[in-house]
Amino acid sequence: MKTNKHRSVCGKFKQRLSNAVKRWFNSPKIRHSSTTQAITVTVGEPAPPYKPPSSQRPNHNYGVSHLTWPPGYQLQKDKYTIEKKLGQGGLGITYLARTKTGDRIVIKTIVNHVLRQDNLLEYWKIFANEAVKLAQCSRGNPHLVRLSEEIIREGELPCLIMEYIEGETLSALVKRQGVLSEEQALLYIKQIGSALWDIHQQGLLHRDVKPDNIMVGHDGSGAVLIDLGIATKFVPGVTQTHLYAVTPGYAPLEQYEWRSQLGPYTDVYALAATLYVLLTGKKPVSADERIQGAELPAPKDFNPKISGRINRAILNAMNLVASDRPQSIPEFLALLGIELPNYNTNSNNSTNSTNNQPQTTAKVEDFYIERPQDAECYEKILQPGQLIRIKAPKLMGKTLLSHRILDYAKSRGYGTVYLNLNQLPCHDLDIFLQSFCVRVGDNLGLSDQLDKYWSKRLYSKVNCQRYFEQYLLASLSTPIVLCLDEVDRVFAYQQVAGEFLGLLRTWHEDSKNNEPWNKLRLIVVYSTEVYIELDINQSPFNVGYPVDLTDFYLDKIQSLAGRYGLKLSIESGQKLMGMVGGHPYLLNLAFSTISKNPNMTMEHLLETAPTESGIYRHHLRELLNNLILHPNLLNPFNKLLTTTQALRLDAKASYLLESLGLVRVIGNDCVPRYNLYRKYFSNRLL
């Protein structure tokens, strides 16, 4: 299958890189030095206060003359011939070259003057890591430059072979034709946003997003993000020491610091700065100048055609304070009024390595197993003043059920809105509620009217109430069902959570009798109990119709197997339940795998299930990674693995472990959620 082939290629590629590093540093030409310093990570240490960058930059000129390969220079015994230098950055230099067959390629290597004997290992690792990052990230996304599997050495220099994109940089495009229209600029930002999202999903940051690093192909394929030369790993909430490299105007404040906390919001700043340039033709004032008092002019000051919404989104995303920016690419795109595109090219695979969802040729609804409360949901959603609360751990089918309820309401002539709160910025109440109002309007086909209905003299919660009452609901002639998914998203932001959840409770009460609120029905979807303190009269979690999605019993499991053309015996069903319980996703993945692999037996599937060779490896690794990001949960979870008895843990630890999907709470006690988790984590943590 295509996915397995990709994994195999990537694994072989990593092994080749590892072997190349060993060969490189076993060479008698290279002298090793014990003074090479590793990058350090300090967990839990707060970021130091900002200090203006020193005027003394690191001196990378160690007496080695700067050399470039001239046109006609040949590498690898005439295998590649240099045509010209394409560009140069702080660490790397790129060349246009041709192969013996005449194909154009790009060769990237380290700038000569960066090299010194005691840093060769460090720079080689950084350079080789780029190859791994690109290999992992570029598969399946047409807007991220692709890398050949080949890595070569020319003299003292390591070289990467990359695809050549026939086109021009966005910087050259703006210089040639002037500022872009909003429509064209947002198209490019959407495409590059998708590439960054894939990079971030790998736990990496690009750190050098700018028009010069974005190519626009002449073939009409759109924009392509290039050059991961200073890309780095990041750990949320962790202060890291990282290689200093900035492009003034595009680098946010935290990137000027040697030790800082980086995250997707770092690339969000640069992507917003790129949009700033596309729409204004002006390079933004650099972050280090702004901290000294220089002002960043609003994009609209240079180009009055820019809409208020886009102007606000750019300025918000270029906030000097990292926590006040959109925290992810989807959040920023949501502020711009665009959705993250899906460039998954492996739809025919049995599993998808990005989202771990079972993929089949049949429609998803063909494999949906209804629960007894589903029919009750369909009836209740048509009644005025209804609020349906769907609660369950992740991957239990909450979103599927909510969409089925929405489809039912739509078939009865109701308007419907589905909104995932992961797409909204939650760091500031006013920005959150504005984004919320605009996104609901977008789904209803209504234009952004914040300038008309949002008053600076009124509290943001009042503005939101007014926007719905006087504009959104007043514009509708039919009832509307508003589904809010991933409501857990706001729990970590207490001010936003308290005000927003209280607002939902108010709307629910108003919708019972008052015009125009009686047009509104609500669906609230969340994974765990709310853990912040809420006034009992201000909480939406103690009213309405509760739906608690539980595991399937054996009869439902057998019915699900039948959807895949399988006949599951009681004995096999009980063995499968002994490993994965009645978890819908884990069951779907098992049946999908067996149905497509005639040689796969239930015995082999269960034997390998808790191992790195089993079908659940990606799901288990994701859980492990999530657990590692919460080191304070390791000891409590380890306690559960050492006993078969239910244990009482600290209330917050219980909540967090349940929210990660790792435990099942029984009364006030906890147990590992499934035997699959107990076996896998016992081998990894104990």
Side-chain angles (χ1 to χ4, degrees):
M1 292 186 297
K2 192 180 295 183
T3 299
N4 291 336
K5 180 180 178 182
H6 282 171
R7 293 191 195 111
S8 176
V9 167
C10 192
K12 292 178 181 177
F13 186 32
K14 288 183 181 179
Q15 185 61 50
R16 290 176 62 188
L17 285 175
S18 177
N19 293 338
V21 171
K22 292 178 183 177
R23 289 196 301 271
W24 178 286
F25 290 100
N26 286 333
S27 169
K29 293 181 182 180
I30 306 300
R31 298 195 304 273
H32 303 280
S33 170
S34 60
T35 61
T36 301
Q37 294 183 348
I39 293 177
T40 59
V41 176
T42 305
V43 178
E45 181 177 326
Y50 173 77
K51 296 180 180 179
S54 169
S55 58
Q56 294 183 340
R57 296 290 188 237
N59 180 14
H60 292 306
N61 189 356
Y62 305 113
V64 181
S65 61
H66 175 66
L67 301 174
T68 58
W69 294 328
Y73 184 88
Q74 294 180 325
L75 294 76
Q76 300 292 293
K77 297 180 180 180
D78 305 338
K79 186 175 182 180
Y80 306 108
T81 302
I82 299 296
E83 288 195 349
K84 64 178 180 180
K85 184 176 82 170
L86 291 175
Q88 181 177 329
L91 291 180
I93 184 169
T94 55
Y95 297 91
L96 177 62
R98 283 191 183 273
T99 66
K100 281 186 176 181
T101 59
D103 295 327
R104 280 185 157 186
I105 59 167
V106 171
I107 295 178
K108 180 172 181 178
T109 187
I110 294 175
V111 177
N112 299 69
H113 68 265
V114 168
L115 296 176
R116 68 176 180 182
Q117 296 301 327
D118 61 355
N119 263 355
L120 275 175
L121 176 60
E122 192 62 38
Y123 282 115
W124 170 252
K125 286 182 177 178
I126 292 172
F127 202 73
N129 279 342
E130 178 180 353
V132 175
K133 295 165 190 172
L134 281 167
Q136 291 174 335
C137 299
S138 66
R139 303 186 188 281
N141 193 314
H143 302 294
L144 189 58
V145 66
R146 294 187 181 183
L147 174 72
S148 163
E149 293 178 30
E150 186 171 15
I151 183 168
I152 62 175
R153 171 182 173 180
E154 181 68 17
E156 299 296 322
L157 300 175
C159 305
L160 303 181
I161 310 299
M162 292 181 282
E163 70 169 323
Y164 172 68
I165 300 169
E166 190 75 46
E168 61 182 333
T169 65
L170 273 182
S171 179
L173 177 64
V174 172
K175 186 176 181 180
R176 176 174 57 83
Q177 74 172 45
V179 298
L180 306 185
S181 67
E182 265 193 17
E183 181 182 9
Q184 188 63 48
L186 291 179
L187 173 62
Y188 291 146
I189 294 300
K190 177 179 181 178
Q191 293 170 344
I192 299 305
S194 75
L196 287 172
W197 177 243
D198 283 351
I199 292 172
H200 296 166
Q201 292 295 91
Q202 294 286 343
L204 306 169
L205 299 174
H206 188 279
R207 291 206 307 154
D208 201 20
V209 180
K210 57 187 177 183
D212 282 329
N213 280 341
I214 299 172
M215 295 292 297
V216 180
H218 290 330
D219 60 359
S221 56
V224 178
L225 181 63
I226 62 174
D227 196 350
L228 274 77
I230 61 170
T232 187
K233 290 184 178 180
F234 74 96
V235 181
V238 173
T239 299
Q240 297 173 267
T241 299
H242 50 80
L243 192 65
Y244 179 92
V246 300
T247 301
Y250 302 96
L253 203 56
E254 65 269 16
Q255 208 167 315
Y256 282 83
E257 303 169 2
W258 292 97
R259 288 179 54 73
S260 60
Q261 293 183 10
L262 304 180
Y265 47 81
T266 302
D267 284 340
V268 165
Y269 183 103
L271 187 61
T274 298
L275 180 56
Y276 187 108
V277 173
L278 299 186
L279 294 175
T280 68
K282 306 290 185 182
K283 186 176 179 180
V285 178
S286 64
D288 61 330
E289 292 176 311
R290 293 173 61 193
I291 198 65
Q292 299 297 325
E295 291 189 7
L296 174 68
K300 204 172 179 66
D301 292 348
F302 295 116
N303 181 358
K305 294 182 179 179
I306 298 175
S307 67
R309 176 178 188 166
I310 302 304
N311 188 69
R312 288 192 299 268
I314 293 174
L315 293 176
N316 180 238
M318 293 187 68
N319 200 303
L320 288 178
V321 180
S323 60
D324 288 343
R325 290 178 222 139
Q327 298 296 288
S328 69
I329 292 297
E331 281 187 27
F332 176 50
L333 295 184
L335 289 180
L336 296 171
I338 52 182
E339 294 185 3
L340 190 73
N342 179 13
Y343 293 111
N344 174 31
T345 59
N346 299 324
S347 59
N348 292 326
N349 298 331
S350 62
T351 60
N352 179 294
S353 61
T354 300
N355 58 21
N356 292 319
Q357 295 299 318
Q359 303 290 325
T360 69
T361 55
K363 296 179 180 179
V364 174
E365 53 264 29
D366 292 340
F367 299 91
Y368 182 83
I369 300 295
E370 288 204 349
R371 294 175 168 92
Q373 66 266 42
D374 289 12
E376 188 76 11
C377 290
Y378 303 149
E379 292 182 13
K380 287 189 175 295
I381 202 61
L382 302 182
Q383 301 170 11
Q386 276 302 322
L387 185 153
I388 296 176
R389 295 183 284 113
I390 304 176
K391 172 184 171 290
K394 295 182 181 300
L395 299 176
M396 289 290 288
K398 301 184 301 297
T399 300
L400 279 175
L401 174 58
S402 67
H403 281 300
R404 291 173 72 87
I405 298 172
L406 289 174
D407 287 343
Y408 182 81
K410 187 181 294 184
S411 71
R412 296 300 187 272
Y414 284 35
T416 59
V417 173
Y418 171 83
L419 190 59
N420 188 316
L421 295 195
N422 276 328
Q423 299 174 342
L424 299 182
C426 296
H427 58 277
D428 178 89
L429 178 63
D430 199 58
I431 293 173
F432 172 80
L433 292 179
Q434 287 186 26
S435 303
F436 172 68
C437 288
V438 171
R439 288 305 303 276
V440 172
D442 287 344
N443 279 269
L444 294 171
L446 299 174
S447 62
D448 174 1
Q449 295 291 327
L450 285 180
D451 292 339
K452 180 178 179 181
Y453 290 97
W454 210 272
S455 172
K456 294 181 180 179
R457 295 187 297 272
L458 297 176
Y459 186 50
S460 54
K461 186 175 176 181
V462 176
N463 276 322
C464 183
Q465 179 92 0
R466 189 169 74 141
Y467 195 86
F468 262 74
E469 185 172 297
Q470 297 182 16
Y471 177 48
L472 296 181
L473 294 177
S475 301
L476 302 175
S477 58
T478 60
I480 174 182
V481 179
L482 172 58
C483 175
L484 302 176
D485 202 351
E486 301 283 357
V487 173
D488 319 61
R489 160 75 168 153
V490 303
F491 291 175
Y493 304 86
Q494 293 205 16
Q495 184 198 13
V496 172
E499 299 288 1
F500 179 62
L501 297 176
L503 201 58
L504 295 182
R505 172 63 179 264
T506 299
W507 292 354
H508 166 64
E509 299 296 342
D510 288 346
S511 66
K512 295 177 180 178
N513 302 300
N514 300 335
E515 289 276 359
W517 293 99
N518 55 11
K519 295 179 182 177
L520 182 66
R521 286 93 165 116
L522 292 169
I523 303 174
V524 177
V525 184
Y526 55 110
S527 297
T528 57
E529 297 292 348
V530 59
Y531 69 95
I532 62 172
E533 292 185 5
L534 289 174
D535 186 318
I536 191 171
N537 297 315
Q538 292 294 313
S539 173
F541 300 110
N542 56 6
V543 293
Y545 178 66
V547 179
D548 193 356
L549 298 185
T550 58
D551 281 9
F552 290 145
Y553 291 108
L554 182 58
D555 60 334
K556 295 291 186 182
I557 295 175
Q558 289 178 310
S559 177
L560 181 61
R563 303 286 180 92
Y564 287 91
L566 303 174
K567 187 174 182 180
L568 186 70
S569 67
I570 293 178
E571 181 182 4
S572 293
Q574 290 173 336
K575 288 181 179 179
L576 183 58
M577 289 183 68
M579 181 65 70
V580 301
H583 192 291
Y585 162 70
L586 301 178
L587 294 168
N588 269 290
L589 187 53
F591 297 145
S592 174
T593 302
I594 293 176
S595 68
K596 293 180 178 180
N597 297 274
N599 296 326
M600 171 69 75
T601 64
M602 181 66 73
E603 289 72 21
H604 179 70
L605 186 149
L606 294 175
E607 181 182 352
T608 59
T611 71
E612 291 293 339
S613 62
I615 65 171
Y616 299 120
R617 57 188 176 277
H618 297 295
H619 174 67
L620 294 168
R621 288 172 189 166
E622 183 177 349
L623 290 174
L624 178 60
N625 289 337
N626 288 338
L627 183 60
I628 290 173
L629 293 179
H630 297 79
N632 56 314
L633 297 180
L634 290 173
N635 285 336
F637 190 57
N638 271 330
K639 290 180 181 178
L640 298 180
L641 299 177
T642 58
T643 178
T644 57
Q645 303 296 317
L647 294 181
R648 183 161 302 182
L649 304 178
D650 172 77
K652 188 171 183 180
S654 296
Y655 159 76
L656 290 173
L657 286 169
E658 184 188 22
S659 70
L660 291 175
L662 291 169
V663 305
R664 181 161 51 95
V665 177
I666 306 173
N668 294 319
D669 300 330
C670 295
V671 295
R673 192 170 168 200
Y674 300 116
N675 200 29
L676 173 70
Y677 297 170
R678 181 187 293 278
K679 289 186 175 182
Y680 177 80
F681 286 102
S682 293
N683 293 329
R684 295 298 180 278
L685 301 179
L686 296 181

